[in-house]
Amino acid sequence: MTPKPPHFPPKGRRLIEVLAYPAVQLLDVTGPLQVFASVNAQMAKAGNAEPYEVRVVGKDGPTIEASAGVGVAVHPLSAIDAAVDTLVIPGGDGVNAATADAVLVDWVRRRTTQARRTASVCTGAFLLAATGALDGRRAATHWQFCAELAERFPAVRVEPDPIFVRDGSFWTSAGVTSGIDLALALVEEDLGRATALAVARYLVVFSKRPGGQAQFSELLSLQTTDDRFSALHDWVGNHLAEDLSLATLARQAGMSERSFSRHYADATGLTPARAIERLRVEGARHLLSETHLPIKRISQRCGFGSEETMRRSFMRLLSTTPQDYRARFAR
């Protein structure tokens, strides 16, 4: 995202409220909390005012039991009209019970109208969607729950790939650790890219992954419980520029073409041709973001044969062109 100048007034701190409820995912709460706390610590060390006040709030206090049996101290739910800058809604095993709690859902609904921005982490999108706040908006959640979110809340435009999505004043993120990426993006919006990168380095995490990065690799998504094609996928990853026709793949797998096609589709849910296209796009994405190779050379290295073929695959799978992808994600 394009870095913006700091928005903070000369004095005062912005209140970050993180909601907690029974069986909330612990890292969904503590990941963003630590980002904001680290910003405060770095600012204080430099002799500057701490920009954030961070508070964990909950309906069931003064302590709630989060995942892994860890107790989290919480403040009572704030008054609806109390000032708040950012509201963070974590996910976790308890999110379904939370969405069935009419009092909690109503509090979140009304609190979002008071907050400058609202963010959800992982399955926290379900609680936010239950308020109607995401109707007509783009949203992300953990890849494993995207279909369920779309089914339960058809008015939400669920995007299964991004780490996080921003639509207006609402930010939604994918699985657990992406809450850290989202928090770093919020810090960048407030204080600039340099501050966000400094905090990322301090926390020894990826230097602020862009929101449009995929949640997981195509190679990982093609893994199956029996893992019968893992060796084939490894081989393909090292031979993207070569002939990867059905005959070649079947021969490498030690099967007839007909048998290979049937077993591969059963195991991965994709035809061999579609899987190869995805792996080639992933290889190209890596080269676009990590190297300065010309796009024509990348298309050849990844087996597309031409820039136009690669462009069509990018548009089909990522809804963007290789040029635009490089512009957004190149280091």
Side-chain angles (χ1 to χ4, degrees):
M1 302 184 68
T2 303
K4 297 182 179 180
H7 298 312
F8 284 111
K11 297 180 181 180
R13 296 192 295 173
R14 290 190 170 181
L15 175 61
I16 311 289
E17 285 187 345
V18 181
L19 179 66
Y21 48 81
V24 69
Q25 169 63 246
L26 184 62
L27 189 56
D28 286 8
V29 174
T30 59
L33 276 178
Q34 187 58 59
V35 169
F36 296 120
S38 295
V39 172
N40 282 346
Q42 291 205 6
M43 288 294 185
K45 186 176 180 180
N48 299 317
E50 296 181 356
Y52 297 116
E53 176 185 352
V54 186
R55 181 183 303 165
V56 182
V57 299
K59 176 171 170 280
D60 305 299
T63 303
I64 62 98
E65 185 173 312
S67 64
V70 176
V72 177
V74 299
H75 296 273
L77 294 177
S78 304
I80 296 301
D81 57 355
V84 61
D85 180 79
T86 303
L87 177 65
V88 179
I89 311 295
D93 291 341
V95 73
N96 286 329
T99 59
D101 186 330
V103 173
L104 188 60
V105 171
D106 184 63
W107 181 86
V108 173
R109 178 188 297 111
R110 297 169 67 184
R111 201 70 175 125
T112 61
T113 64
Q114 188 69 21
R116 176 173 68 94
R117 61 190 177 193
T118 301
S120 67
V121 181
C122 195
T123 55
F126 282 80
L127 179 52
L128 192 53
T131 71
L134 295 180
D135 287 359
R137 296 184 183 274
R138 299 163 52 239
T141 190
H142 190 291
W143 63 269
Q144 194 171 12
F145 299 98
C146 285
E148 182 182 349
L149 182 64
E151 181 178 357
R152 288 178 56 181
F153 302 99
V156 180
R157 294 158 53 194
V158 180
E159 297 193 2
D161 292 327
I163 293 173
F164 63 84
V165 168
R166 179 184 184 179
D167 192 325
S169 62
F170 290 89
W171 305 61
T172 53
S173 66
V176 285
T177 59
S178 64
I180 296 174
D181 298 289
L182 182 146
L184 288 168
L186 298 179
V187 169
E188 179 177 328
E189 181 187 51
D190 293 338
L191 296 171
R193 182 173 176 80
T195 300
L197 292 176
V199 172
R201 286 193 295 268
Y202 174 76
L203 295 176
V204 198
V205 297
F206 192 102
S207 295
K208 209 187 82 55
R209 293 182 293 176
Q213 291 259 19
Q215 291 189 34
F216 52 91
S217 73
E218 291 297 343
L219 188 59
L220 179 61
S221 71
L222 290 173
Q223 289 179 355
T224 60
T225 53
D226 61 23
D227 219 16
R228 76 179 86 174
F229 295 113
S230 60
L232 175 64
H233 292 145
D234 290 340
W235 180 84
V236 168
N238 293 318
H239 297 80
L240 290 177
E242 299 179 17
D243 169 31
L244 296 178
S245 63
L246 177 62
T248 299
L249 297 173
R251 184 168 58 252
Q252 187 66 27
M255 298 180 180
S256 68
E257 293 182 27
R258 182 176 179 181
S259 178
F260 172 72
S261 293
R262 182 177 72 254
H263 288 296
Y264 190 87
D266 289 343
T268 67
L270 293 171
T271 65
R274 287 301 184 196
I276 294 303
E277 180 185 37
R278 287 171 177 260
L279 291 171
R280 281 177 163 152
V281 165
E282 179 166 279
R285 286 170 50 195
H286 174 75
L287 292 175
L288 287 167
S289 61
E290 301 292 334
T291 76
H292 298 290
L293 287 172
I295 290 178
K296 182 177 181 180
R297 180 76 61 81
I298 291 175
S299 69
Q300 293 169 345
R301 281 198 179 189
C302 295
F304 288 104
S306 70
E307 293 181 58
E308 177 58 24
T309 301
M310 186 168 79
R311 189 193 69 80
R312 289 198 299 266
S313 290
F314 266 66
M315 289 299 300
R316 180 163 45 248
L317 297 179
L318 303 178
S319 299
T320 190
T321 66
Q323 291 87 346
D324 288 343
Y325 186 90
R326 168 168 273 175
R328 290 187 64 192
F329 300 126
R331 290 188 177 184

